[in-house]
Amino acid sequence: MKIIKTTDYYHMSRMAANILSAQVIIKPDCVLGLATGSTPIGTYEQLIRWYEKGDLDFSQVRTINLDEYKGLSPENDQSYRYFMNEHLFRHININLDHTHVPNGLESDPVKACEDYNRIIRENGGVDLQLLGLGLNGHIGFNEPGAAFEKETHCVDLTQSTIDANSRFFDHMDLVPKQAYTVGIKTIMQAKKIVVIASGENKADIIAKAFWGPITPSVPASVLQLHNDVVLVGDEAALSKIPE
Ligand code: GLP
């Protein structure tokens, strides 16, 4: 694993955006695996800036997002489809038909997951996967205990994730309790993985995930087995890793 330590969130975002843009330049029709949450917002802002300057072309890029809340429509401002449109897609020249997020409105979990697995297969898999980390070590919405061999599936969110996500909703009752997420197997099949982390509250889980035992109780620990992972973190997030 390669580790890139930056002074702060802004520089972490620039470094991550650098890696993503290199991927787009090397392979203009690449498949980017994208993430939501607060951590990638700065990375997306940087990509938009470079696009506006004329340095990046997304016209052939395809994207596959990690997850979506079950029951939320694309128009719901808390859905991950809405998030991606607002924070990235509507600012760049990507073809929206080439962007994929699980269908939160599909009430049949088997169909929703099969459809998404098919989309991933038809696109030939992910070239570069951008990943944030949940406080409990979840990746996508693969919560502690998730089997490493799963593809897209429907998950019951843990209370700690529901609590962490509640900050974005007006009322606790509105926070979805279930989500569709690509599985750990899918994530591990990405050719390259870039993990981003910022802030002191991620320091413990970063140390545990990358220097602790590989176990389903810390889903991100499986990334130790991937042969092309870059961890980009700011000083605070990397403050507890061994020298
Ligand atoms: C959600 C997303 C994850 C993300 C996590 C961390 O749970 N499903 O993909 O990594 O939030 O969010 P943040 O970046 O806001 O800490």
Side-chain angles (χ1 to χ4, degrees), residues 36-40 66-67 80 132-134 138 140-141 161 165 167 202:
T36 53
S38 50
T39 314
L66 287 167
D67 45 14
Y80 286 165
L133 226 58
H138 72 226
F141 267 138
T161 300
N165 291 345
R167 66 191 194 273
K202 293 285 167 77

Side-chain angles (χ1 to χ4, degrees), residues 46-235:
Q46 190 60 61
L47 290 175
I48 293 166
R49 248 174 254 139
W50 286 329
Y51 163 71
E52 286 169 345
K53 277 179 66 191
D55 293 340
L56 280 176
D57 174 15
F58 291 90
S59 60
Q60 297 179 63
V61 170
R62 294 160 292 154
T63 67
I64 296 191
N65 260 79
L66 287 167
D67 45 14
E68 179 60 286
Y69 290 116
K70 181 167 181 271
L72 296 198
S73 75
E75 291 76 35
N76 186 310
D77 63 6
Q78 292 309 326
S79 74
Y80 286 165
R81 161 53 78 179
Y82 188 93
F83 175 102
M84 290 310 301
N85 288 348
E86 286 306 302
H87 288 287
L88 183 64
F89 299 151
R90 74 183 181 87
H91 304 281
I92 58 176
N93 66 333
I94 199 161
N95 179 343
L96 275 186
D97 292 342
H98 294 170
T99 67
H100 305 283
V101 180
N103 180 2
L105 285 184
E106 175 56 70
S107 54
D108 175 359
V110 175
K111 180 167 178 351
C113 297
E114 276 175 2
D115 286 350
Y116 209 59
N117 286 332
R118 184 177 35 76
I119 287 170
I120 297 169
R121 264 197 315 276
E122 283 172 1
N123 278 282
V126 170
D127 290 302
L128 189 160
Q129 177 67 57
L130 180 66
L131 276 186
L133 226 58
L135 287 175
N136 59 8
H138 72 226
I139 44 179
F141 267 138
N142 293 281
E143 297 280 31
F148 286 164
E149 67 270 21
K150 280 198 181 163
E151 296 186 306
T152 311
H153 58 289
C154 182
V155 287
D156 294 327
L157 301 175
T158 62
Q159 196 56 45
S160 94
T161 300
I162 294 170
D163 292 345
N165 291 345
S166 66
R167 66 191 194 273
F168 300 114
F169 291 82
D170 292 338
H171 194 275
M172 198 65 191
D173 292 347
L174 298 174
V175 189
K177 312 284 184 297
Q178 286 189 308
Y180 295 132
T181 183
V182 305
I184 288 177
K185 179 175 173 184
T186 324
I187 292 173
M188 289 297 281
Q189 283 169 342
K191 295 188 185 90
K192 185 178 189 74
I193 298 180
V194 178
V195 182
I196 49 175
S198 169
E200 217 182 317
N201 67 339
K202 293 285 167 77
D204 282 322
I205 193 62
I206 286 284
K208 223 169 147 182
F210 293 99
W211 283 267
I214 300 168
T215 159
S217 62
V218 183
S221 65
V222 74
L223 299 172
Q224 293 180 43
L225 298 174
H226 195 282
N227 62 12
D228 193 353
V229 175
V230 184
L231 169 61
V232 188
D234 60 17
E235 273 168 14

